[in-house]
Amino acid sequence: MQLEEGGAQKGTGLGLAITCQFVQLMGGNIAVESSLGKGSLFRVELPLELASAADILKPESGIHGKVVGIAGEQPGYRILIAEDQHENQLLLFRLMTDIGLEVKLAENGEQCVKLFQDWHPDLIWMDRRMPVMDGEEATRHIRLLPEGDRVKIVAVTASAFKEQQQEMLDAGMDDFVRKPYRFNEIYDCLARQLGIKYLYRSDTPVEDATPVILTAAMLAVLPTALREELRDSLENLDGKRITTAIQQIGEIDLKLGSTLTHLVEYFDYPAILNALDQTSDG
């Protein structure tokens, strides 16, 4: 069972079972020590080897800064997101629409195949595991359809096993990115597959030296109803409602609106929710 403060139950309670399976797949073991009234201590042991210096990825040179749009005159690319987890849908949707790409969503492989036939996207973010029809099967179906050999299909997966990566490529996928998503990896993959060129907002020393701080006192000036709307939209990951609420807040306090916008851009919803929890009647 998974609980959070306030007793609101979240999740399915499968986290420990899944963790155990991952540990066993990596050749390790997991053990627990539990004392009534004190809690439980879990220990994970894994067979690991020290990496050599040659195996360690070096930081990429020439990082331009945050991607803010598409550079110059480029085609209006269509992007289809096939993903059944709402949080992952929202993140990919925001990353695509924030730079001006046209996006549609599918919640399973079967919907993805139909949307491909009706809409003809340029690239598909294809979740490997989905209900009704999984990503690999959907990819095989699409590759057999008219123009199915032209669309770029990128697997999105939590798997780090090389044999599973090869299975995805064998199913007809062009590339893959791992979960949890990293913004630069998503945009790099788009550039690699579609040749997209970006506009960047370079980070300045002033921005780096000034952390974004949100306090309960800053939120306390807002009407209670507006704070609750912000909280509810964040907890439900409703991008449109979040944007509307922050726009309304910006009309009351421009600096606060800017702070919230920055946190939302980096998906730091917990920082906002924690500050809301600390308001006097939040």
Side-chain angles (χ1 to χ4, degrees), residues 225-238:
L226 185 51
R227 290 204 308 268
E228 288 305 311
E229 171 61 16
L230 177 61
R231 179 197 299 277
D232 191 64
S233 62
L234 288 167
E235 290 178 342
N236 286 282
L237 301 173
D238 190 324

Side-chain angles (χ1 to χ4, degrees), residues 52-268:
S52 66
D55 293 330
I56 299 175
L57 293 176
K58 304 297 190 299
E60 292 183 19
S61 59
I63 299 298
H64 299 282
K66 181 183 177 183
V67 173
V68 295
I70 302 297
E73 294 294 328
Q74 297 186 66
Y77 292 108
R78 292 181 170 187
I79 308 297
L80 175 56
I81 299 170
E83 167 68 69
D84 65 317
Q85 295 295 320
H86 180 64
E87 297 88 345
N88 293 332
Q89 279 185 359
L90 176 62
L91 177 54
L92 281 174
F93 183 86
R94 283 289 304 275
L95 290 175
M96 299 298 100
T97 56
D98 280 355
I99 59 173
L101 300 177
E102 191 175 352
V103 182
K104 286 194 177 184
L105 300 173
E107 294 187 351
N108 58 61
E110 189 173 85
Q111 288 183 9
C112 177
V113 173
K114 185 176 187 310
L115 272 171
F116 168 78
Q117 293 174 289
D118 296 340
W119 194 52
H120 301 292
D122 299 287
L123 181 141
I124 302 173
W125 297 112
M126 183 77 79
D127 189 15
R128 182 168 178 260
R129 296 193 177 278
M130 291 182 290
V132 185
M133 181 188 293
D134 66 28
E136 291 179 13
E137 185 178 355
T139 298
R140 293 189 184 96
H141 276 72
I142 289 170
R143 292 306 188 199
L144 296 174
L145 295 171
E147 300 185 18
D149 59 334
R150 298 171 62 181
V151 63
K152 299 296 184 179
I153 302 179
V154 179
V156 289
T157 175
S159 171
F161 298 107
K162 289 186 177 180
E163 60 270 20
Q164 292 177 340
Q165 295 170 7
Q166 189 58 50
E167 288 175 7
M168 291 181 275
L169 297 175
D170 291 344
M173 296 178 179
D174 298 287
D175 206 341
F176 61 88
V177 294
R178 296 191 187 96
K179 300 177 184 178
Y181 303 128
R182 293 169 176 81
F183 298 178
N184 63 312
E185 291 181 0
I186 293 294
Y187 288 137
D188 286 348
C189 184
L190 274 180
R192 191 162 58 244
Q193 295 300 327
L194 297 178
I196 292 178
K197 299 183 185 303
Y198 301 111
L199 294 173
Y200 298 90
R201 183 177 68 203
S202 297
D203 295 330
T204 65
V206 173
E207 289 177 340
D208 291 340
T210 309
V212 174
I213 299 174
L214 178 67
T215 66
M218 294 166 67
L219 293 168
V221 303
L222 301 175
T224 300
L226 185 51
R227 290 204 308 268
E228 288 305 311
E229 171 61 16
L230 177 61
R231 179 197 299 277
D232 191 64
S233 62
L234 288 167
E235 290 178 342
N236 286 282
L237 301 173
D238 190 324
K240 290 183 179 179
R241 287 176 60 200
I242 292 171
T243 300
T244 300
I246 292 177
Q247 287 174 346
Q248 294 173 1
I249 291 169
E251 294 173 0
I252 298 173
D253 186 329
L254 183 60
K255 183 178 179 181
L256 176 57
S258 177
T259 297
L260 291 170
T261 297
H262 180 92
L263 291 171
V264 166
E265 284 180 349
Y266 285 88
F267 297 93
D268 195 357

